[in-house]
Amino acid sequence: MVVSRGKNPSAQETFMQMAQAAGLRSRLLVTLGLLVLVRLGIFIPVPGIDRQAFGASIQSGSLAGFVGFLDIFVGGGLSALGIFALGILPFINASIIMQLLTAALPQLEDLQKNEGEAGRRKISQITRYVALGWAILQSTLLASFLLYQFAEVPGPAFVAQTVIALTAGSMFVMWVGELITERGIGNGASLLIFLNIVSTLPRSLGQTIELAQSGDRGLVGGIIILMLAFLAMIVGIVFVQEGTRRIPIISARRQVGRKLYLEQSNYLPLRLNQGGVMPIIFASAVLVLPISLTQYITNPGFSQFVNNYLNPTSLFYVSLYLVLILFFSYFYSSLVMNPDDVSRNLKKMGASIPGIRPGKATTEYISRILNRLTFLGAVFLGMVAVVPSAVESLTRVQTFRGFGATSLLILVGVAIDTAKQIQTYVISQRYEGMVKQ
């Protein structure tokens, strides 16, 4: 097979390697098999629940927005009340908690930075325990909510069996995600979320086709506009996710024995969107929380405030949403990259930014650039979060309700990362073939 050495593999070479290379093919088959297994588990019901009453409550009650938001990550498992109803959510929550604790606790920060692979394995083990505790807490809250309204036989036994079923299902999904990461292709947790989001598309597309066949020219035009808006958002997300600011770096001369190593030019890449999809997830969770609290708080003033001001169509809601996205973008960017650590590492390596003194000046320079990039990334995230909903309202096409900014960002980000990992395997196979020759 003829390959282009030194270049990224072409689509033809990638598909040929996927079909012919035993290692890559087995990884793909393992990934697909485990994803299908997790998808089937969503439809295995938790016993003892009146599903018709629960479904009617979800469709008509104020929990619809909250459940719809969480269903993005579990592929409809929460509304179906399967044994995988919690899905990968406890592990995601545990990972976020550990990221926050690692930045706050010096012991965890030392494990991550100074203990190498052993420290990272220790943090992963702690994350699993946190995920277990979070799954028990979430399943207990869900079982308590179902107990008096939707349980066929209310009592402690119902709560116990529901908690055990949901917690065991969540831990199994977490194990499958780690198995995919280790023996498959891509990041397991990300691919599970990707699968759950994609699983909602056939229903939305079917409803859209039925709407287009109704004969209303206005709706047909609205569907075309909505599809073009989604396409533009996808193209924009690709550019922003891949966009980086390259800061030039010069390494000092070094002499090892009698050999003199001259100055080398390199660059420090700073991503335009450091936080990825996390700022939108945090902002959405904060805004959805008051809606879910209306089920438990009977204060008429609170309910009226939520209905009037936290309605997704209100100007106050949109403004607060954008402000929260901006806040969480800066917050998450500070967790992902610390300018002090970057400056310290450059000084240890004997590298510097041209025209900038090492130490405090380098820290301030990187902080200034990072703040500008974070602001631009937050503005783009705000556009991605608001534009799809605005277009849906203007075109009166509501078939993609719930499939918005979060879903688009996750789909595009996971697709890019998985494609890069496949390309890495293809390139490794290419060089193995060159060595054998």
Side-chain angles (χ1 to χ4, degrees):
M1 180 177 62
V2 180
V3 298
S4 52
R5 299 180 182 180
K7 297 181 180 180
N8 288 330
S10 62
Q12 180 183 5
E13 180 186 353
T14 300
F15 284 113
M16 289 184 67
Q17 287 284 357
M18 289 167 63
Q20 297 176 0
L24 182 58
R25 186 173 64 246
S26 64
R27 283 181 172 271
L28 287 171
L29 291 176
V30 167
T31 302
L32 292 175
L34 291 175
L35 290 177
V36 170
L37 178 64
V38 171
R39 189 62 196 162
L40 291 176
I42 290 177
F43 301 101
I44 300 176
V46 175
I49 298 174
D50 187 353
R51 278 172 175 72
Q52 293 183 351
F54 179 76
S57 176
I58 291 298
Q59 293 295 330
S60 59
S62 58
L63 272 180
F66 183 67
V67 173
F69 173 71
L70 295 181
D71 262 349
I72 293 174
F73 304 100
V74 293
L78 193 60
S79 57
L81 284 180
I83 60 172
F84 292 168
L86 298 181
I88 199 69
L89 272 179
F91 181 72
I92 295 174
N93 295 331
S95 300
I96 294 172
I97 291 172
M98 288 301 298
Q99 283 183 329
L100 299 176
L101 291 179
T102 301
L105 298 179
Q107 296 86 347
L108 292 177
E109 188 176 7
D110 182 68
L111 273 178
Q112 186 181 46
K113 293 182 178 179
N114 302 325
E115 297 298 327
E117 185 62 29
R120 285 188 287 272
R121 284 201 301 268
K122 183 67 175 177
I123 290 179
S124 299
Q125 187 68 20
I126 297 174
T127 305
R128 296 189 191 101
Y129 287 127
V130 175
L132 174 61
W134 200 257
I136 294 174
L137 175 62
Q138 287 182 324
S139 58
T140 303
L141 292 175
L142 182 57
S144 301
F145 171 73
L146 298 172
L147 178 60
Y148 296 108
Q149 299 185 49
F150 308 106
E152 294 178 349
V153 183
F158 169 80
V159 175
Q161 72 178 14
T162 303
V163 169
I164 292 173
L166 294 177
T167 303
S170 177
M171 292 299 100
F172 180 80
V173 172
M174 182 184 71
W175 174 74
V176 168
E178 293 184 349
L179 199 61
I180 291 174
T181 303
E182 180 182 353
R183 300 186 181 182
I185 292 288
N187 182 276
S190 300
L191 282 175
L192 289 173
I193 299 175
F194 181 92
L195 173 68
N196 293 333
I197 294 173
V198 170
S199 65
T200 63
L201 286 179
R203 181 179 57 188
S204 298
L205 289 174
Q207 293 174 353
T208 305
I209 293 174
E210 292 179 0
L211 196 63
Q213 292 175 345
S214 63
D216 190 337
R217 294 185 178 179
L219 288 177
V220 173
I223 292 172
I224 295 174
I225 294 174
L226 182 62
M227 293 300 176
L228 291 176
F230 275 128
L231 181 61
M233 288 292 102
I234 290 173
V235 173
I237 290 171
V238 171
F239 277 103
V240 172
Q241 290 288 90
E242 295 296 290
T244 56
R245 166 71 186 275
R246 297 184 176 185
I247 300 177
I249 296 174
I250 296 179
S251 300
R253 297 182 184 180
R254 311 187 280 121
Q255 185 170 357
V256 181
R258 296 183 178 180
K259 192 169 184 180
L260 180 65
Y261 291 87
L262 301 178
E263 293 181 354
Q264 294 182 346
S265 298
N266 211 326
Y267 64 88
L268 174 67
L270 296 180
R271 293 182 60 187
L272 181 59
N273 183 19
Q274 292 284 344
V277 72
M278 297 311 298
I280 291 183
I281 292 178
F282 283 154
S284 301
V286 169
L287 291 176
V288 166
L289 183 60
I291 299 176
S292 63
L293 290 178
T294 56
Q295 288 288 108
Y296 306 98
I297 299 177
T298 57
N299 189 336
F302 178 75
S303 300
Q304 185 177 3
F305 173 81
V306 171
N307 294 331
N308 293 339
Y309 293 100
L310 294 184
N311 188 337
T313 59
S314 67
L315 182 61
F316 177 81
Y317 178 92
V318 175
S319 303
L320 183 59
Y321 194 20
L322 295 177
V323 170
L324 287 174
I325 289 175
L326 181 64
F327 169 76
F328 284 117
S329 294
Y330 278 100
F331 173 76
Y332 203 78
S333 176
S334 65
L335 296 179
V336 173
M337 176 168 287
N338 189 341
D340 289 329
D341 293 340
V342 176
S343 175
R344 195 178 303 115
N345 292 333
L346 289 176
K347 192 174 183 179
K348 288 180 181 178
M349 295 186 298
S352 62
I353 301 173
I356 306 296
R357 294 175 61 87
K360 184 178 179 181
T362 300
T363 301
E364 293 176 351
Y365 178 76
I366 295 175
S367 298
R368 191 162 57 248
I369 293 179
L370 194 59
N371 287 335
R372 295 173 182 173
L373 292 176
T374 303
F375 179 76
L376 293 175
V379 170
F380 176 77
L381 287 179
M383 291 177 57
V384 172
V386 171
V387 168
S389 299
V391 173
E392 285 181 355
S393 300
L394 292 174
T395 57
R396 297 180 293 115
V397 179
Q398 306 294 329
T399 54
F400 286 92
R401 176 67 66 185
F403 183 83
T406 307
S407 304
L408 281 176
L409 281 168
I410 293 174
L411 289 179
V412 175
V414 174
I416 291 174
D417 292 341
T418 306
K420 286 183 177 179
Q421 189 163 348
I422 292 176
Q423 285 185 346
T424 302
Y425 281 110
V426 172
I427 291 174
S428 66
Q429 294 285 341
R430 174 195 299 174
Y431 286 116
E432 285 180 8
M434 291 167 57
V435 171
K436 291 179 181 179
Q437 292 176 2

